[in-house]
Amino acid sequence: MNLSNRLWKDNFYLAEKSLQTKFVQHLKTGKLPKEKFKLYVAQDAFFLECFARAYGLAVSKAKDKNMIKILSQLLIGVSEELVLHDSYAQKWGINLDKNSIEPVTKNYTDFLNEVSQKSNLIEIMCAMAPCMCLYSWIGRSLANHKKNNPYKEWIETYSDKDFENLAKTLENLIDISNKTNKLDNLNSLYKKAMELELDFFYAFSNF
């Protein structure tokens, strides 16, 4: 089993917990309170900005030209996701400039900032992959619940094959970079990111 599959399998129980959160289940049914979705979008924008910077630092630590090219393409994907958040903000009447970062979001961004600044390339990618893989998996899990759903656009975004391919691209980079790194360390970073994702979904499930 390659490294990316091993990391996902070892931490899949956390993905299942995220799927079962009240926030995600109410996204699926379309019954999520609009105010909760608006809070989520505002906080997710903070995270995506941090995620984009982490990709930038990953690019700076890549020593292979092809790796630089692929990571730069993934960074473009995050930029497109930020554009999507701007469209959400306009559609749902969210003023992103007036929101401040919440503790649950800051915990995640602090973790990602520290790893991307202090760690090597594969460690950065293992801390970033859970976000991509989890959202793709959740999106595909909700793909049959788009009809008459006010959150149809969110489900379509993360269930899309193009987004799944972005996640797989990052996983492929992890696999080809896996040489002398210890599994326990990489799994610790991956698990921490999955736990922070779960905390993030829990934060918007209190209704």
Side-chain angles (χ1 to χ4, degrees):
M1 184 182 297
N2 59 31
L3 176 58
S4 64
N5 286 343
R6 175 72 180 273
L7 293 170
W8 175 255
K9 182 179 179 181
D10 286 354
N11 295 283
F12 183 65
Y13 72 99
L14 291 167
E16 291 182 306
K17 285 185 176 182
S18 287
L19 179 63
Q20 294 305 320
T21 57
K22 198 172 179 181
F23 175 84
V24 174
Q25 288 301 303
H26 280 65
L27 267 179
K28 180 175 75 173
T29 62
K31 295 179 180 179
L32 179 70
K34 292 180 180 179
E35 288 305 312
K36 287 297 177 183
F37 186 70
K38 289 166 72 171
L39 287 171
Y40 159 82
V41 169
Q43 292 302 305
D44 201 34
F46 286 112
F47 173 76
L48 283 174
E49 289 173 14
C50 174
F51 203 69
R53 287 191 291 271
Y55 264 130
L57 286 166
V59 170
S60 74
K61 296 183 181 185
K63 303 187 184 303
D64 175 83
K65 181 172 68 175
N66 191 53
M67 186 81 75
I68 292 172
K69 178 181 177 181
I70 296 171
L71 286 168
S72 296
Q73 290 170 341
L74 289 170
L75 175 55
I76 291 171
V78 179
S79 299
E80 291 172 349
E81 203 174 345
L82 281 166
V83 171
L84 175 66
H85 271 65
D86 287 340
S87 72
Y88 280 153
Q90 291 180 355
K91 178 180 178 180
W92 295 88
I94 306 165
N95 188 336
L96 295 176
D97 294 330
K98 289 189 175 181
N99 283 277
S100 57
I101 192 166
E102 296 289 336
V104 69
T105 314
K106 192 172 186 302
N107 287 341
Y108 202 168
T109 57
D110 284 351
F111 164 74
L112 200 54
N113 281 330
E114 182 176 5
V115 173
S116 59
Q117 290 171 19
K118 297 180 179 180
S119 303
N120 63 35
L121 179 56
I122 191 171
E123 290 170 336
I124 297 170
M125 292 190 294
C126 286
M128 296 179 73
C131 174
M132 304 284 291
C133 298
L134 179 63
Y135 269 68
S136 175
W137 180 74
I138 287 177
R140 285 179 280 120
S141 298
L142 305 188
N144 294 326
H145 300 273
K146 296 182 289 187
K147 188 176 180 181
N148 299 322
N149 190 324
Y151 306 110
K152 176 182 177 181
E153 189 178 4
W154 190 96
I155 296 173
E156 287 179 337
T157 296
Y158 295 111
S159 63
D160 189 81
K161 189 69 178 178
D162 287 342
F163 189 82
E164 182 182 3
N165 287 338
L166 289 174
K168 287 182 176 179
T169 297
L170 184 54
E171 288 184 313
N172 288 337
L173 290 182
I174 288 172
D175 292 333
I176 65 175
S177 301
N178 182 34
K179 295 176 182 176
T180 60
N181 295 275
K182 293 182 179 180
L183 175 61
D184 288 348
N185 177 47
L186 299 180
N187 188 64
S188 176
L189 292 168
Y190 196 99
K191 180 182 179 181
K192 180 65 174 179
M194 288 287 274
E195 290 172 339
L196 289 166
E197 285 287 354
L198 179 59
D199 289 345
F200 195 67
F201 286 131
Y202 273 143
F204 304 102
S205 297
N206 56 340
F207 54 89

Tab-separated table of all heavy atoms in Angstrom, residues 3 63-64 67 120-123 125-126 173-183 186:
chain	number	residue	atom	x	y	z
A	3	LEU	N	1.933	5.284	0.452
A	3	LEU	CA	1.845	6.104	1.656
A	3	LEU	C	0.525	6.866	1.753
A	3	LEU	O	-0.109	6.887	2.815
A	3	LEU	CB	3.015	7.085	1.701
A	3	LEU	CG	3.021	8.085	2.869
A	3	LEU	CD1	3.012	7.351	4.208
A	3	LEU	CD2	4.220	9.014	2.767
A	63	LYS	N	12.590	20.930	-4.856
A	63	LYS	CA	13.893	20.981	-5.521
A	63	LYS	C	13.834	20.441	-6.945
A	63	LYS	O	14.810	20.517	-7.690
A	63	LYS	CB	14.922	20.193	-4.703
A	63	LYS	CG	15.035	20.691	-3.272
A	63	LYS	CD	16.169	20.019	-2.535
A	63	LYS	CE	16.212	20.447	-1.064
A	63	LYS	NZ	16.323	21.884	-0.884
A	64	ASP	N	12.708	19.900	-7.315
A	64	ASP	CA	12.516	19.328	-8.639
A	64	ASP	C	11.621	20.235	-9.474
A	64	ASP	O	10.577	20.690	-9.010
A	64	ASP	CB	11.886	17.933	-8.498
A	64	ASP	CG	11.550	17.308	-9.837
A	64	ASP	OD1	12.464	16.729	-10.459
A	64	ASP	OD2	10.390	17.399	-10.256
A	67	MET	N	8.065	19.081	-9.835
A	67	MET	CA	7.348	19.241	-8.572
A	67	MET	C	6.897	20.692	-8.392
A	67	MET	O	5.760	20.954	-7.964
A	67	MET	CB	8.247	18.828	-7.407
A	67	MET	CG	7.575	18.815	-6.060
A	67	MET	SD	6.625	17.329	-5.747
A	67	MET	CE	7.920	16.139	-5.427
A	120	ASN	N	9.767	20.022	6.255
A	120	ASN	CA	10.189	19.757	4.876
A	120	ASN	C	8.979	19.550	3.970
A	120	ASN	O	7.830	19.542	4.439
A	120	ASN	CB	11.160	18.573	4.819
A	120	ASN	CG	10.531	17.268	5.287
A	120	ASN	OD1	9.348	17.006	5.073
A	120	ASN	ND2	11.334	16.427	5.931
A	121	LEU	N	9.239	19.353	2.704
A	121	LEU	CA	8.162	19.354	1.709
A	121	LEU	C	7.133	18.256	1.946
A	121	LEU	O	5.926	18.521	1.934
A	121	LEU	CB	8.757	19.228	0.303
A	121	LEU	CG	7.749	19.198	-0.856
A	121	LEU	CD1	6.857	20.430	-0.833
A	121	LEU	CD2	8.477	19.068	-2.182
A	122	ILE	N	7.573	17.029	2.152
A	122	ILE	CA	6.595	15.946	2.318
A	122	ILE	C	5.780	16.126	3.593
A	122	ILE	O	4.586	15.798	3.641
A	122	ILE	CB	7.263	14.558	2.279
A	122	ILE	CG1	6.189	13.475	2.176
A	122	ILE	CG2	8.194	14.347	3.460
A	122	ILE	CD1	6.720	12.093	1.905
A	123	GLU	N	6.383	16.686	4.625
A	123	GLU	CA	5.639	16.956	5.859
A	123	GLU	C	4.569	18.010	5.615
A	123	GLU	O	3.440	17.889	6.117
A	123	GLU	CB	6.605	17.412	6.954
A	123	GLU	CG	7.511	16.305	7.457
A	123	GLU	CD	8.620	16.792	8.359
A	123	GLU	OE1	8.991	17.990	8.269
A	123	GLU	OE2	9.133	15.980	9.149
A	125	MET	N	3.068	18.596	2.760
A	125	MET	CA	2.026	17.990	1.926
A	125	MET	C	1.149	17.045	2.745
A	125	MET	O	-0.068	16.973	2.522
A	125	MET	CB	2.648	17.268	0.741
A	125	MET	CG	3.300	18.208	-0.256
A	125	MET	SD	3.798	17.421	-1.824
A	125	MET	CE	5.097	16.305	-1.245
A	126	CYS	N	1.732	16.340	3.721
A	126	CYS	CA	0.942	15.445	4.567
A	126	CYS	C	0.035	16.225	5.522
A	126	CYS	O	-1.001	15.713	5.952
A	126	CYS	CB	1.858	14.510	5.353
A	126	CYS	SG	2.594	13.211	4.332
A	173	LEU	N	2.032	13.262	-5.300
A	173	LEU	CA	3.274	13.944	-4.930
A	173	LEU	C	3.823	13.395	-3.614
A	173	LEU	O	5.039	13.254	-3.445
A	173	LEU	CB	3.040	15.450	-4.815
A	173	LEU	CG	2.769	16.207	-6.110
A	173	LEU	CD1	2.597	17.702	-5.820
A	173	LEU	CD2	3.883	16.007	-7.122
A	174	ILE	N	2.928	13.107	-2.679
A	174	ILE	CA	3.353	12.511	-1.408
A	174	ILE	C	4.012	11.161	-1.657
A	174	ILE	O	5.077	10.854	-1.108
A	174	ILE	CB	2.148	12.362	-0.456
A	174	ILE	CG1	1.705	13.737	0.059
A	174	ILE	CG2	2.481	11.437	0.716
A	174	ILE	CD1	0.407	13.718	0.853
A	175	ASP	N	3.403	10.368	-2.517
A	175	ASP	CA	3.919	9.021	-2.773
A	175	ASP	C	5.295	9.040	-3.430
A	175	ASP	O	6.180	8.268	-3.056
A	175	ASP	CB	2.935	8.229	-3.633
A	175	ASP	CG	1.639	7.926	-2.886
A	175	ASP	OD1	1.673	7.857	-1.641
A	175	ASP	OD2	0.598	7.767	-3.547
A	176	ILE	N	5.489	9.930	-4.387
A	176	ILE	CA	6.790	9.957	-5.070
A	176	ILE	C	7.869	10.630	-4.218
A	176	ILE	O	9.058	10.473	-4.486
A	176	ILE	CB	6.707	10.652	-6.451
A	176	ILE	CG1	6.353	12.137	-6.304
A	176	ILE	CG2	5.722	9.944	-7.357
A	176	ILE	CD1	6.376	12.896	-7.629
A	177	SER	N	7.439	11.363	-3.181
A	177	SER	CA	8.403	12.039	-2.300
A	177	SER	C	8.785	11.195	-1.098
A	177	SER	O	9.673	11.564	-0.334
A	177	SER	CB	7.823	13.373	-1.802
A	177	SER	OG	7.513	14.224	-2.875
A	178	ASN	N	8.091	10.080	-0.912
A	178	ASN	CA	8.300	9.258	0.282
A	178	ASN	C	9.561	8.415	0.142
A	178	ASN	O	9.567	7.405	-0.556
A	178	ASN	CB	7.080	8.359	0.498
A	178	ASN	CG	7.217	7.523	1.748
A	178	ASN	OD1	7.793	7.970	2.729
A	178	ASN	ND2	6.699	6.305	1.703
A	179	LYS	N	10.611	8.836	0.819
A	179	LYS	CA	11.894	8.132	0.715
A	179	LYS	C	12.428	7.750	2.098
A	179	LYS	O	12.419	6.593	2.478
A	179	LYS	CB	12.888	8.995	-0.055
A	179	LYS	CG	12.461	9.193	-1.511
A	179	LYS	CD	13.394	10.121	-2.271
A	179	LYS	CE	12.902	10.318	-3.704
A	179	LYS	NZ	13.722	11.291	-4.452
A	180	THR	N	12.857	8.717	2.833
A	180	THR	CA	13.488	8.401	4.120
A	180	THR	C	12.673	8.877	5.319
A	180	THR	O	13.125	8.781	6.454
A	180	THR	CB	14.884	9.054	4.190
A	180	THR	OG1	14.741	10.476	4.059
A	180	THR	CG2	15.770	8.531	3.072
A	181	ASN	N	11.483	9.401	5.065
A	181	ASN	CA	10.688	9.948	6.171
A	181	ASN	C	9.999	8.838	6.968
A	181	ASN	O	9.569	7.824	6.408
A	181	ASN	CB	9.634	10.923	5.629
A	181	ASN	CG	10.261	12.136	4.994
A	181	ASN	OD1	10.577	13.092	5.669
A	181	ASN	ND2	10.483	12.090	3.681
A	182	LYS	N	9.885	9.054	8.261
A	182	LYS	CA	9.273	8.069	9.133
A	182	LYS	C	7.753	8.187	9.088
A	182	LYS	O	7.192	9.273	9.201
A	182	LYS	CB	9.784	8.268	10.562
A	182	LYS	CG	11.258	7.966	10.725
A	182	LYS	CD	11.703	8.122	12.180
A	182	LYS	CE	13.176	7.782	12.347
A	182	LYS	NZ	13.635	7.935	13.744
A	183	LEU	N	7.107	7.027	8.951
A	183	LEU	CA	5.653	6.995	8.845
A	183	LEU	C	4.977	7.607	10.058
A	183	LEU	O	3.993	8.333	9.932
A	183	LEU	CB	5.177	5.552	8.654
A	183	LEU	CG	3.653	5.341	8.638
A	183	LEU	CD1	3.016	6.104	7.483
A	183	LEU	CD2	3.325	3.860	8.552
A	186	LEU	N	4.809	11.405	9.781
A	186	LEU	CA	3.894	11.859	8.727
A	186	LEU	C	2.442	11.572	9.108
A	186	LEU	O	1.561	12.391	8.869
A	186	LEU	CB	4.242	11.185	7.400
A	186	LEU	CG	5.648	11.467	6.868
A	186	LEU	CD1	5.877	10.750	5.540
A	186	LEU	CD2	5.889	12.964	6.709
